[in-house]
Amino acid sequence: MTINFTRGQRMLALLCLAAVLLSAPLARADQGDPPEIEAQRLVHILGYIGADYGGSVANGIVTVPDEYAEQLSLAADGAKIAARIQPAIPPDRHFDLPARLAKLRELLDQKAPPADVSALITGLRAELIGAFQIEEAPRAAPNAERGKSLYREHCATCHGETGRADTARAATFTPRPVNFHDPERGEAIAPYRVVSTIRFGVDGTAMVPFTFLSDADRWDLAFFVTGLRHAGVAPAPAGAAPAYTLAELSARTDADLRAELRSAGVQAGAEAEVLADLRLRAPYEDRAARTPLGLVRVKLERARQAIARGDRDATRGHLIDAYLEGIEPIEAPLRAADASLAAALEARSMELRGDLERGASAAELGAAMDALLRDVGRAESLLSPTSAPKGFASTALSSAGIILREGVEAALLIAALLGIAAQAGLADRRRFVHFGWITALVLGVLTWIASARVIAISGAQRELIEGVTALLATAVLFYVSYSLLAKREVARWMKFLKQQISPRRAALSLFAVSLLAAYREAFETVLFYQALLASNASATAALVGAAAGAVVLVAVVAAYTRAGRFAPPQVFFRISSYLLYTLAVIFAGQGVAALQMAGKVPVHALPFRGVPALGIFPTAETLAAQLLLVILALVGILAQRRETNAAPKPPAPPAQIAPGSAA
């Protein structure tokens, strides 16, 4: 059967066909790419807004209308993407993405401070990256030659051979292609942003999407582009720069790196050379895993990725490894160089573990990791091989400081034990105290030899040794000092001491307390001196400092025991018993904290700053152990008072009658 169409019918059919053909691309555009790609595009848009908004608005006033209009247009595009991909957000990572984009648009309309816009974008990008498992770094180190070849083939005609956008073709475009040497633009570019630009292009410009390139090609090209503005600078030696991971270099702009280098202590005069090293050489080398602090960066990056996946158990493991494998091995040399920075690294590591245990968000944990990394950068700069070597006086002072810092607790404990034995009239038993600390010194020397020639002591082993030794010392100290603390009368003290010190078990207790307390400090001292001498410090200066510190410790012991000979027995016994029990409380806190750092005890952080030298750490576990000892002491004292008050008092002597008085 043949159907004949009139001219009008044929025209109507053609119009319908045209409408269908024209509407098909629009339908595909409305449908969009897969949610994972759309999420990457949204992250790309947010990155542009975050980087460029500050250059278009200042103090609530639009300074560059064209750029501000572009921010609004990008936000509108982002809102459409957010609506499309909202259903694809996994239930366990659910958040209201369109509402976040609406809040961003509200800030833009209000011409809010750039810091507020940046903070919102930073948190939103982190949630998107976690929800859609977006990779912000290449899976392998980029290829420099491949990046150079791709740039010459696809980019040089517009951006120029050196990246200055000074070609004839560049002059024909409006807006003009980016000049990578422009300070404002160049400082805000990170490799990840370049990768996104290569993949998605930039609307309204000649920058089209390079969809035909592989992911590896995009990363090769991106790292080459970010290095262009540094090509004329001689890179600093590798050791002068922090050992950034590839993921860190991918995400950071030049402005970010400059700020971190200044915070790490890199001098302004060397900043350009160090930055050139980070852009031209570091991305192509696997430096981070070669040094302990570089390993901290690797482990923290893995922890960041794990928390983005919602895997808190893996995050916990990476955080423990970051401390034990990265921070603990350099604690000794860092304490010798800057004790406060070493303490800060330990405290931040503990706080980070506590934040994880309390269920902190990925954004909160990321901020805590960034704070830890800033301190890591300072430590890297301080321990850099290019840093100035210590002089004789500085080495001697560091050496003396090690002896005094590590030995003062043991010295006070030994002095208290010697003084109590002397006051009780049992001077012959003091030899067990001396046997204890002398044995500890011998074991310390053997530890030095073993750790230098036979076995390597890992961070986990060190923390376990410190923790177990401290808790054993706490137990023996408690046994020795608790009864002393509860017996407030001198006569009771004397009777207790004569009964307890004379038996073999009491002599063993004195020996054990002295040994454990002294070896705990000797163990740390060995590690600190190994690190000090490994830094090419003068051995003579270290020996002079150690001798000076030892003299001071001996003077402390002598002064304390001498004071015990002249002080009233009641006062001396009370002070000594309080001192011994206080040391037990300190050791308890330090022991639990060491086991926490080794990952053997959970961490529930509390909001205050600790005092590690006194065994006070901002965690519920350490304070609980110490509080238990304090409660036991109070119970003992109160029980003794009640016993004393309940005891029958002797009858009062009969009144004396004065001679010559009336009967």
Side-chain angles (χ1 to χ4, degrees), residues 115-135:
D116 294 348
V117 174
S118 178
L120 176 62
I121 287 175
T122 299
L124 183 52
R125 290 180 79 250
E127 287 187 292
L128 279 167
I129 289 168
F132 290 94
Q133 303 297 297
I134 298 173
E135 294 184 355

Side-chain angles (χ1 to χ4, degrees), residues 89-430:
I89 296 177
D92 60 329
R93 307 302 298 268
H94 184 270
F95 63 99
D96 194 340
L97 182 55
R100 301 289 181 86
L101 266 296
K103 178 62 177 177
L104 174 61
R105 180 56 187 255
E106 181 183 339
L107 291 178
L108 297 182
D109 289 339
Q110 294 173 352
K111 304 172 185 63
D116 294 348
V117 174
S118 178
L120 176 62
I121 287 175
T122 299
L124 183 52
R125 290 180 79 250
E127 287 187 292
L128 279 167
I129 289 168
F132 290 94
Q133 303 297 297
I134 298 173
E135 294 184 355
E136 289 190 285
R139 298 182 179 181
N143 185 312
E145 288 303 316
R146 176 64 174 164
K148 183 178 181 180
S149 173
L150 289 170
Y151 182 83
R152 287 181 174 176
E153 181 180 356
H154 300 292
C155 310
T157 54
C158 292
H159 291 283
E161 288 289 336
T162 61
R164 297 183 182 277
D166 52 0
T167 67
R169 186 174 183 183
T172 65
F173 294 120
T174 303
R176 197 183 184 100
V178 171
N179 173 7
F180 300 120
H181 293 264
D182 177 77
E184 183 177 345
R185 288 297 186 93
E187 287 290 294
I189 293 176
Y192 180 71
R193 180 177 174 182
V194 177
V195 165
S196 298
T197 302
I198 295 170
R199 179 167 196 166
F200 299 112
V202 180
D203 290 341
T205 73
M207 183 64 203
V208 297
F210 283 31
T211 55
F212 55 86
L213 293 179
S214 67
D215 285 342
D217 284 344
R218 293 188 189 106
W219 281 112
D220 293 342
L221 185 51
F223 277 102
F224 181 79
V225 166
T226 51
L228 281 171
R229 65 193 303 253
H230 305 285
V233 180
Y244 284 100
T245 64
L246 190 56
E248 290 176 307
L249 292 174
S250 301
R252 281 160 171 73
T253 65
D254 281 7
D256 294 333
L257 290 174
R258 286 186 194 277
E260 292 179 3
L261 292 176
R262 291 167 191 159
S263 176
V266 175
Q267 298 299 316
E271 192 176 282
E273 290 79 6
V274 173
L275 192 56
D277 172 57
L278 292 177
R279 287 304 190 203
L280 298 175
R281 295 192 309 201
Y284 309 101
E285 303 171 2
D286 184 18
R287 294 180 184 174
R290 300 178 187 175
T291 64
L293 287 174
L295 193 58
V296 175
R297 294 181 176 275
V298 172
K299 295 297 183 180
L300 288 181
E301 183 57 36
R302 292 177 182 172
R304 203 186 299 267
Q305 294 170 2
I307 199 63
R309 297 193 305 269
D311 190 344
R312 289 185 172 265
D313 288 338
T315 303
R316 179 177 180 272
H318 292 314
L319 293 181
I320 292 174
D321 290 344
Y323 179 81
L324 294 178
E325 298 177 20
I327 294 175
E328 182 68 18
I330 57 88
E331 182 184 1
L334 187 58
R335 279 194 183 277
D338 188 339
S340 63
L341 180 56
L345 281 173
E346 182 173 350
R348 286 198 188 278
S349 299
M350 185 80 79
E351 290 169 5
L352 187 53
R353 286 268 311 282
D355 290 342
L356 178 68
E357 298 288 349
R358 70 174 174 81
S361 66
E364 291 174 316
L365 292 172
M369 290 181 201
D370 290 340
L372 177 57
L373 285 172
R374 284 193 290 273
D375 283 345
V376 167
R378 291 172 55 203
E380 286 175 312
S381 179
L382 199 60
L383 300 178
S384 168
T386 61
S387 60
K390 283 191 170 187
F392 187 93
S394 178
T395 300
L397 287 174
S398 295
S399 176
I402 291 172
I403 291 292
L404 293 175
R405 183 178 64 247
E406 301 304 322
V408 66
E409 289 175 355
L412 288 173
L413 184 145
I414 291 168
L417 292 177
L418 292 173
I420 288 175
Q423 279 281 9
L426 299 168
D428 60 319
R429 298 293 177 180
R430 293 166 53 178

Side-chain angles (χ1 to χ4, degrees), residues 4-88:
N4 295 318
F5 291 99
T6 65
R7 181 178 180 183
Q9 289 174 327
R10 287 197 298 270
M11 182 62 70
L12 180 60
L14 289 173
L15 289 174
C16 291
L17 178 61
V20 170
L21 293 175
L22 289 173
S23 64
L26 294 176
R28 287 194 297 270
D30 184 63
Q31 181 182 3
D33 291 317
E36 295 76 15
I37 302 301
E38 289 275 61
Q40 291 182 40
R41 181 177 286 110
L42 181 52
V43 169
H44 170 60
I45 289 173
L46 292 171
Y48 257 91
I49 295 175
D52 295 348
Y53 175 76
S56 61
V57 174
N59 300 318
I61 299 173
V62 175
T63 56
V64 185
D66 290 344
E67 286 193 13
Y68 178 69
E70 184 183 13
Q71 311 304 309
L72 297 180
S73 176
L74 288 171
D77 292 339
K80 295 175 183 177
I81 296 174
R84 289 198 296 266
I85 67 175
Q86 175 68 37

